[in-house]
Amino acid sequence: MSTSEAGPAPGARLSVCLFCGSSNSARPEYLEAAAEFGRTLAASDARLVYGGGGIGLMGAAAKAAHAAGGRVLGVMPEFLRRHEVIFDEVETVVVTNMHQRKMRMFEESDGFAIFPGGIGTLEEVIELLSWRRLDLHRKPIVFLNMDGFWEPLYGLLAHLSAEKVLPEWMPDTWRSVRAVAEVLPALHELHEAAASGPGFFGYANDGVAKHG
């Protein structure tokens, strides 16, 4: 990874990684939101990159995107094939472990949409934000904060910032939206801003401090 990884070139076909839950026990509104996002990506000729599962929000997004004629890439570690239902009607890459899965999803994607999910989704998000903190990437990150789902996480991050263990500019590196229709425009907006945004210790590409 390098700081040059800030998203697609102008006019390029977009690939969006979706981090989300893989349980059918999720609220129906969340499952429908994932399906709506899959359809939105297909209508925009953007490729969906996701964890390869065929159930939960993962499956809802992938099936909807595929049914709408969209491009979909699933990435599934070998050991999870025994535990999760793979949606095998789309292109799926099988890798050795979870680390390879996350890296492949990162490399294949121009930006990240974070939908409601459990501990796996949370782990993916924290790693993504950690890489951004270290200026290893500047790819856009957008949270779908339906019904305040991510408010506890925002509260924790605000606490870390108040305790001076997280840079105050970190919240500027992602967007939070409440409607599926806002996710893709927010990704595009963040991509445009990425090149001039703060890097490690709050410095931009020109070495000039952007904050405090």
Side-chain angles (χ1 to χ4, degrees):
M1 289 181 294
S2 69
T3 54
S4 64
E5 295 185 76
R13 301 172 80 186
L14 190 70
S15 288
V16 178
C17 179
L18 175 64
F19 288 145
C20 62
S22 59
S23 171
N24 281 334
S25 298
R27 286 172 50 182
E29 298 94 329
Y30 296 157
L31 294 167
E32 176 51 37
E36 181 184 346
F37 188 59
R39 292 189 291 269
T40 298
L41 291 179
S44 303
D45 195 26
R47 182 178 65 162
L48 170 65
V49 178
Y50 83 117
I55 59 175
L57 278 72
M58 274 192 197
K63 291 174 182 177
H66 180 63
R71 296 173 295 132
V72 180
L73 174 66
V75 184
M76 174 72 73
E78 176 65 37
F79 80 94
L80 275 183
R81 297 180 70 183
R82 300 187 299 271
H83 304 287
E84 293 191 8
V85 179
I86 293 181
F87 181 45
D88 56 10
E89 294 183 29
V90 300
E91 180 184 0
T92 301
V93 175
V94 178
V95 295
T96 303
N97 53 51
M98 294 292 285
H99 299 292
Q100 290 181 358
R101 180 198 212 182
K102 288 184 291 183
M103 182 55 69
R104 182 63 180 266
M105 292 171 74
F106 178 88
E107 292 173 342
E108 293 282 352
S109 303
D110 302 305
F112 301 86
I114 317 300
F115 278 43
I119 194 68
T121 302
L122 185 60
E123 186 264 346
E124 290 163 337
V125 169
I126 293 300
E127 184 168 68
L128 191 62
L129 293 177
S130 176
W131 290 352
R132 180 62 183 89
R133 165 67 179 95
L134 297 172
D135 209 19
L136 293 173
H137 79 92
R138 295 192 176 185
K139 297 181 179 183
I141 303 167
V142 175
F143 289 85
L144 178 65
N145 191 30
M146 283 183 68
D147 297 329
F149 183 90
W150 291 111
E151 292 298 330
L153 175 62
Y154 300 158
L156 174 59
L157 295 173
H159 169 70
L160 296 177
S161 182
E163 293 292 331
K164 308 301 182 183
V165 294
L166 187 72
E168 63 178 12
W169 53 262
M170 275 298 293
D172 296 336
T173 64
W174 69 79
R175 291 286 185 276
S176 177
V177 300
R178 293 189 176 274
V180 174
E182 299 175 294
V183 175
L184 204 52
L187 285 168
H188 284 293
E189 178 186 337
L190 275 176
H191 168 58
E192 293 298 320
S196 60
F200 193 54
F201 293 127
Y203 287 85
N205 291 333
D206 58 5
V208 178
K210 290 295 185 181
H211 296 269

